[in-house]
Amino acid sequence: MDSQDLLTDTTKLASYNILLQVLFRVLTFGLNAFTLRFVSKEIIGVVNVRLTLLYSTVVFLAREAFRKACLSGNAKQNWTQTVNLLWLTVPLGVLWSVFLGWIWLEILEVPVADAIPHYGFGVLVFGLSAVVELLSEPLWVLAQAHMFLRLKVVAESLSIILKCLFTVILVVLYPHWGLFIFSLSQLLYTTLLVLCYVIYFVTFIGSLEARSKSFPVTRVTDLLPTLKKGQAFINWTQAKLTLSFFKQSFLKQILTEGERYVMTFLNVLNFGDQGVYDIVNNLGSLVARFIFMPIEESFYVFFAKVLDRGTDVKRQRQEDVAMSAAVLESLLKLVLVIGLTITVFGYAYSQLALDIYGGTMLSTGSGPTLLRTYCLYVLLLAVNGVTECFTFASMSKEEVDRYNFVMLVLSFTFLCFSYYLTWWLGSMGFILANCFNMGLRIAHSVRYIHKYYKASVHRPLMGLVLSPSLIMVYLISGAVTSYSEVLFCCEKGWLPRMMHIAIGVVCCMASLVAIIFKETKLVHFLRTQFMSQYRKKK
């Protein structure tokens, strides 16, 4: 597969992932809005912070390093050794699940049983769910590496929809079950997800389509750990790279979920406040999760396959170098524009969004201020996602090891800032600490990218420079919508609210027009890559 075909498949994968994340977030937010009417915010806090943190920590630490290392090779790698290596995620997940489950039950503060019953059952089932999901890891990596674009969308969509339906039914019929409901729903989700991958590959392997595509796995049993004569059980170079990424993943998890760790281990907020913060946090990261994460995940594969890891830019195919630089510049411009749009318009519409979503429980007090600050964090999150995506895909093993030390320093700094800023400013401290941490990570990645392309004629970091006209439109839009919020929102009835929304739509359209006429390279990239996928489907 040449670079252009790879780019086409990557943008298609990103498009599908974005659609998947839209579905996931819409259903999740609808589910949260619904369950808030039936269960307490304390239960929401325990599920969305404490138990979800257990699940995400086990899954991330057990598989993230393996994914990055195994997707860094080309399609002709020894897939028997790769599959063997990926199966190590399961025993690793069991170890993490047992160890962290013990901490969650014996070390951390246990919720009062009368207010939040069945906590022990929740810890057990969420840990089990993480291990169950890891059973599909070899299949997931095979699907990603060979661009099985629809598999992930169908599998996750089906699992999410059934999970939501199951949760709604139990919440309506048995609201007193509490954590039973969310624990069983999580186990159902991971079980269905694994079954979808298993059924697909059992059907696909050995088919005419698989033979026509020269799929490297010819028997279903090859998906299980296999020892072949004359070769090592795993590729030790790949295993060493995995170890390097594992050190990094451990630190990245602390940075990614840092505020939840601080809330969980240091008890700076009670369970009710944790529930409110989590709702605001999820609402603020809505666009970040269903746009930025799929882009980062998909284009990591692109950069890892187009560029030779750890090789000087002068010794690589110059066509690939030019394409990677052009794609990186366009991606930086894209996420910067999206992030700025969220920051500008999020400031004036945070209170309205919270009022519509959760009523006065969210729209009064610190909720709007939290969401406004989070909009600034989304901008930094957007830029960091793309810069680190490129950085991790092109670093050599030695550079990854050196970066682990940087991550260690950032992790320690972030945790200190989170604790003291939260002690001083409450929930706001978490967001400000995240902003500071994200700024440092962006600075490091920008420095790496500048150094990487310094010996070439390409300057992809120009993607971080916007047209002065577009900046002026953003400034005017921010001022107009902020004044509109003072006049029309949010206690003055629905008609003034609609006026406020209408003004925002007009300002947003003005910004879109400025983007179309002033950021022509970005528009060309979107039209030739992302938009072409939808035209082809039609």
Side-chain angles (χ1 to χ4, degrees):
M1 183 183 295
D2 61 28
S3 299
Q4 185 58 50
D5 291 338
L6 180 60
L7 176 59
T8 300
D9 283 348
T10 302
T11 52
K12 187 184 294 185
L13 177 61
S15 302
Y16 285 154
N17 283 343
I18 288 172
L19 291 176
L20 175 62
Q21 289 297 324
V22 169
L23 173 65
F24 176 76
R25 290 300 153 186
V26 168
L27 287 175
T28 301
F29 275 91
L31 180 64
N32 284 343
F34 179 81
T35 54
L36 277 172
R37 275 68 178 174
F38 291 87
V39 298
S40 67
K41 62 182 181 181
E42 285 77 16
I43 288 182
I44 295 294
V46 171
V47 172
N48 290 354
V49 177
R50 179 72 69 88
L51 296 181
T52 301
L53 180 64
L54 170 64
Y55 166 80
S56 65
T57 302
V58 172
V59 169
F60 192 92
L61 294 180
R63 78 182 181 190
E64 182 70 11
F66 291 87
R67 284 186 172 186
K68 287 187 178 297
C70 294
L71 287 173
S72 296
N74 55 47
K76 296 181 180 179
Q77 62 184 295
N78 187 321
W79 279 102
T80 299
Q81 293 180 325
T82 299
V83 168
N84 290 342
L85 182 63
L86 287 167
W87 273 109
L88 295 180
T89 59
V90 177
L92 185 60
V94 172
L95 292 176
W96 278 117
S97 183
V98 171
F99 175 67
L100 294 175
W102 174 76
I103 293 177
W104 257 241
L105 289 172
E106 300 295 334
I107 305 298
L108 299 180
E109 176 193 3
V110 176
V112 178
D114 292 338
I116 307 173
H118 317 305
Y119 173 73
F121 180 81
V123 170
L124 175 65
V125 175
F126 269 78
L128 176 62
S129 299
V131 175
V132 170
E133 182 166 343
L134 293 172
L135 294 173
S136 66
E137 197 58 24
L139 309 182
W140 187 93
V141 171
L142 274 169
Q144 288 289 108
H146 294 86
M147 296 295 178
F148 292 174
L149 304 179
R150 293 180 178 84
L151 174 57
K152 180 180 178 181
V153 177
V154 172
E156 296 199 16
S157 299
L158 179 62
S159 302
I160 291 165
I161 291 172
L162 292 178
K163 172 190 174 182
C164 290
L165 289 175
F166 185 73
T167 304
V168 167
I169 292 172
L170 291 185
V171 164
V172 172
L173 296 179
Y174 309 104
H176 58 281
W177 281 15
L179 295 183
F180 268 138
I181 298 173
F182 300 97
S183 302
L184 294 175
S185 298
Q186 184 66 25
L187 183 59
L188 174 68
Y189 166 75
T190 55
T191 303
L192 290 173
L193 189 64
V194 172
L195 285 176
C196 287
Y197 276 93
V198 170
I199 291 171
Y200 178 85
F201 275 96
V202 168
T203 305
F204 177 77
I205 292 174
S207 65
L208 290 176
E209 182 184 359
R211 289 195 291 269
S212 67
K213 292 181 177 180
S214 300
F215 191 65
V217 178
T218 56
R219 297 178 302 174
V220 174
T221 54
D222 291 338
L223 295 174
L224 300 174
T226 305
L227 180 61
K228 291 189 176 181
K229 293 182 179 180
Q231 71 177 29
F233 183 70
I234 59 175
N235 183 322
W236 287 104
T237 300
Q238 204 172 45
K240 291 177 182 177
L241 182 60
T242 301
L243 181 61
S244 296
F245 276 125
F246 177 78
K247 300 172 187 175
Q248 184 188 99
S249 297
F250 189 87
L251 299 172
K252 186 177 180 181
Q253 177 67 5
I254 295 176
L255 295 174
T256 303
E257 301 280 9
E259 68 270 20
R260 286 179 169 82
Y261 288 116
V262 172
M263 282 188 282
T264 297
F265 285 90
L266 300 180
N267 297 321
V268 292
L269 298 175
N270 60 46
F271 290 118
D273 290 340
Q274 288 180 26
V276 173
Y277 173 81
D278 183 75
I279 292 169
V280 172
N281 176 64
N282 283 332
L283 184 60
S285 63
L286 179 62
V287 177
R289 291 181 184 275
F290 70 62
I291 294 183
F292 301 145
M293 282 182 61
I295 288 176
E296 179 183 352
E297 184 180 89
S298 301
F299 280 92
Y300 174 84
V301 178
F302 170 76
F303 289 127
K305 289 182 177 293
V306 167
L307 300 173
D308 293 330
R309 180 181 293 276
T311 304
D312 186 81
V313 71
K314 290 183 177 179
R315 291 183 292 170
Q316 303 197 48
R317 287 185 58 206
Q318 293 307 300
E319 296 85 353
D320 292 343
V321 172
M323 175 171 288
S324 68
V327 170
L328 179 58
E329 180 180 353
S330 296
L331 288 178
L332 287 173
K333 186 81 71 175
L334 173 63
V335 297
L336 181 63
V337 167
I338 296 173
L340 272 175
T341 302
I342 294 170
T343 302
V344 169
F345 291 96
Y347 184 86
Y349 290 89
S350 293
Q351 185 178 1
L352 179 60
L354 289 175
D355 191 68
I356 293 173
Y357 181 71
T360 56
M361 183 187 76
L362 298 179
S363 63
T364 56
S366 62
T369 304
L370 283 176
L371 189 53
R372 289 183 181 115
T373 309
Y374 202 95
C375 289
L376 173 62
Y377 173 60
V378 168
L379 171 60
L380 299 174
L381 192 69
V383 176
N384 179 72
V386 172
T387 54
E388 282 197 348
C389 160
F390 176 86
T391 300
F392 294 154
S394 57
M395 275 183 170
S396 66
K397 177 186 177 300
E398 293 72 22
E399 288 172 323
V400 171
D401 288 335
R402 285 197 298 270
Y403 187 63
N404 289 336
F405 177 75
V406 176
M407 296 282 278
L408 178 62
V409 175
L410 289 175
S411 300
F412 179 76
T413 305
F414 169 71
L415 292 176
C416 291
F417 265 79
S418 294
Y419 178 75
Y420 286 107
L421 287 177
T422 305
W423 175 78
W424 180 32
L425 300 171
S427 302
M428 176 81 69
F430 285 127
I431 303 175
L432 294 177
N434 272 315
C435 289
F436 176 76
N437 164 63
M438 206 58 64
L440 293 179
R441 289 167 65 178
I442 290 172
H444 179 274
S445 297
V446 165
R447 180 175 175 272
Y448 173 85
I449 294 170
H450 173 74
K451 182 180 178 181
Y452 187 89
Y453 284 102
K454 188 175 182 180
S456 72
V457 298
H458 309 292
R459 298 294 179 264
L461 291 176
M462 290 303 295
L464 296 175
V465 179
L466 291 178
S467 162
S469 301
L470 178 56
I471 295 175
M472 182 59 66
V473 172
Y474 275 134
L475 290 174
I476 294 173
S477 297
V480 170
T481 52
S482 297
Y483 184 65
S484 170
E485 182 184 29
V486 174
L487 289 180
F488 301 116
C489 192
C490 283
E491 298 85 8
K492 301 178 181 179
W494 277 103
L495 184 59
R497 289 184 182 188
M498 296 305 296
M499 288 291 295
H500 182 45
I501 293 173
I503 291 172
V505 170
V506 172
C507 291
C508 190
M509 294 300 295
S511 301
L512 180 61
V513 170
I515 292 169
I516 292 173
F517 285 99
K518 294 298 181 180
E519 301 295 346
T520 53
K521 289 179 67 174
L522 173 60
V523 174
H524 176 74
F525 176 75
L526 292 174
R527 189 178 68 249
T528 56
Q529 298 302 324
F530 285 93
M531 298 304 178
S532 63
Q533 308 304 327
Y534 298 104
R535 287 199 296 269
K536 287 178 183 178
K537 282 189 284 185
K538 292 179 180 179

